[in-house]
Amino acid sequence: MSTMGSRIGWIGTGRMGHAMADRLLASGQDVHVWNRTRSKAQDLADSGGVVVDAIADLADRDVVFTMVAADEDLLAVTVGPDGLLNQATAPRYLVDSSTVSAETSDQVRQAAAARGTTLLAAPVSGNGKVVKAGRLSFAVSGPRDAYDDVAPLLALLGHSVTYVGEGDLARLVKLAHNVFLGVVTQSLAEILVLAERGGVERAPFLEFLNDSVMGSTFTRYKSPALVNLDYTPTFTPVLLRKDFDLGLAAARQLDVPMPVAAITAQLVQATVSSGRVDEDFAVLLDQQAASAGLTLKSENVEVDDGLGRTKSA
């Protein structure tokens, strides 16, 4: 049974959650929204959403999405005293797109099952701008029949929805993804500093890289920030540190050596320790430049981000 046209609940309207809920509303879905700080969700009412006062007001929805920052937040909104799974009724499906540990996910999964609710772990690759461009990617795990029901809704949110298996396998996929994200960003910072030290400006270097076999959707998307030193946050070093912690913990549990990831985790920690915690994780570029005794300046040029627009400083 497809969930298209279902009554949808949404918990969490941070940078990602807000953009995702707004996209569902733009597609004509019936969405009721709760956020801990109501004012951050209020403008979704202008798009046709209903902003509710309590999580309990979402308990009778067919499908409820959660997109929160950390393990403790997911536990609070699901199994906490005022959580979704402690109400008189419970939704048929709970779809969690947060990046949390498999242990937390399993705790929520068991609590959901006790209420007759099926949990799908559906972490994402992307950020608010990627959501708006329709380029979000999902990795989803849980019962296959539940995935088949919910997949049409997920397809409204992005261009790629991949079923990776039962249980919480999607959590491992997302952690591996985010560890790779950090490693790639650090490597990119290093080669940019190397090239600039040798006299090559960042814009032409990235233009070459992005059009080569080594370029990617990510390197192109991040190019405007790296060229113009725009560290408006899409994902902070603190959140990246959390994902490295979770990813390396999973590696220890599975007896997988990850030496490059471990070194990168320390560089991310150095960025956090420097106090640059509210900027985008692309600030790793500044940290790398400083270690080479290089002071970077914005190049103040328009750069294609691959999302259908250019951006200048």
Side-chain angles (χ1 to χ4, degrees):
M1 182 186 75
S2 172
T3 51
M4 290 293 287
S6 296
R7 297 176 309 138
I8 299 169
W10 195 280
I11 296 174
T13 58
R15 280 187 293 267
M16 281 295 291
H18 188 284
M20 293 168 72
D22 195 43
R23 192 166 179 85
L24 281 179
L25 288 166
S27 70
Q29 301 301 305
D30 172 11
V31 184
H32 287 199
V33 180
W34 178 88
N35 192 62
R36 183 169 50 192
T37 304
R38 183 187 175 103
S39 60
K40 293 183 178 180
Q42 194 59 51
D43 65 322
L44 290 170
D46 298 333
S47 301
V50 175
V51 181
V52 301
D53 294 320
I55 293 175
D57 297 327
L58 303 178
D60 64 349
R61 302 260 97 189
D62 302 311
V63 182
V64 175
F65 288 82
T66 48
M67 173 57 95
V68 294
D71 289 51
E72 58 268 23
D73 300 311
L74 180 62
L75 293 173
V77 302
T78 55
V79 300
D82 299 317
L84 184 71
L85 299 173
N86 275 323
Q87 307 304 321
T89 58
R92 181 177 184 184
Y93 295 120
L94 174 61
V95 182
D96 179 55
S97 292
S98 314
T99 301
V100 298
S101 68
E103 292 77 14
T104 291
S105 186
D106 185 59
Q107 183 178 343
V108 176
R109 184 182 301 279
Q110 292 185 42
R115 297 300 314 279
T117 297
T118 300
L119 173 68
L120 286 172
V124 300
S125 173
N127 56 45
K129 294 179 181 178
V130 174
V131 175
K132 291 177 182 178
R135 299 294 302 276
L136 197 66
S137 299
F138 285 90
V140 188
S141 63
R144 180 69 199 223
D145 57 346
Y147 165 77
D148 290 338
D149 283 354
V150 174
L153 285 180
L154 298 176
L156 296 176
L157 290 166
H159 78 114
S160 172
V161 183
T162 304
Y163 179 72
V164 299
E166 296 284 338
D168 290 310
L169 287 179
R171 305 296 187 186
L172 181 59
V173 171
K174 179 58 190 296
L175 290 176
H177 170 282
N178 278 17
V179 168
F180 186 48
L181 175 73
V183 169
V184 168
T185 303
Q186 175 61 30
S187 295
L188 191 56
E190 291 178 15
I191 61 171
L192 283 169
V193 169
L194 172 64
E196 184 153 348
R197 171 69 84 184
V200 182
E201 293 184 341
R202 297 187 300 281
F205 180 86
L206 285 166
E207 181 181 351
F208 163 74
L209 180 74
N210 291 334
D211 289 333
S212 77
V213 295
M214 294 304 296
S216 67
T217 299
F218 173 72
T219 63
R220 188 176 297 278
Y221 166 71
K222 218 62 183 173
S223 289
L226 296 170
V227 169
N228 297 314
L229 308 184
D230 179 1
Y231 299 134
T232 303
T234 62
F235 189 61
T236 66
V238 172
L239 293 176
L240 183 58
R241 178 182 64 177
K242 178 201 75 172
D243 291 350
F244 265 98
D245 289 344
L246 292 172
L248 290 172
R252 285 191 294 273
Q253 185 177 14
L254 296 170
D255 287 328
V256 176
M258 298 184 71
V260 176
I263 292 171
T264 305
Q266 290 302 307
L267 295 168
V268 173
Q269 178 60 60
T271 301
V272 172
S273 298
S274 75
R276 302 187 72 171
V277 295
D278 296 321
E279 298 173 90
D280 190 75
F281 70 104
V283 76
L284 284 169
L285 175 62
D286 273 9
Q287 296 294 105
Q288 181 63 29
S291 70
L294 185 65
T295 300
L296 302 180
K297 296 181 180 179
S298 170
E299 294 181 2
N300 294 310
V301 296
E302 291 190 345
V303 181
D304 180 17
D305 67 359
L307 299 178
R309 58 185 180 272
T310 57
K311 185 174 181 181
S312 58

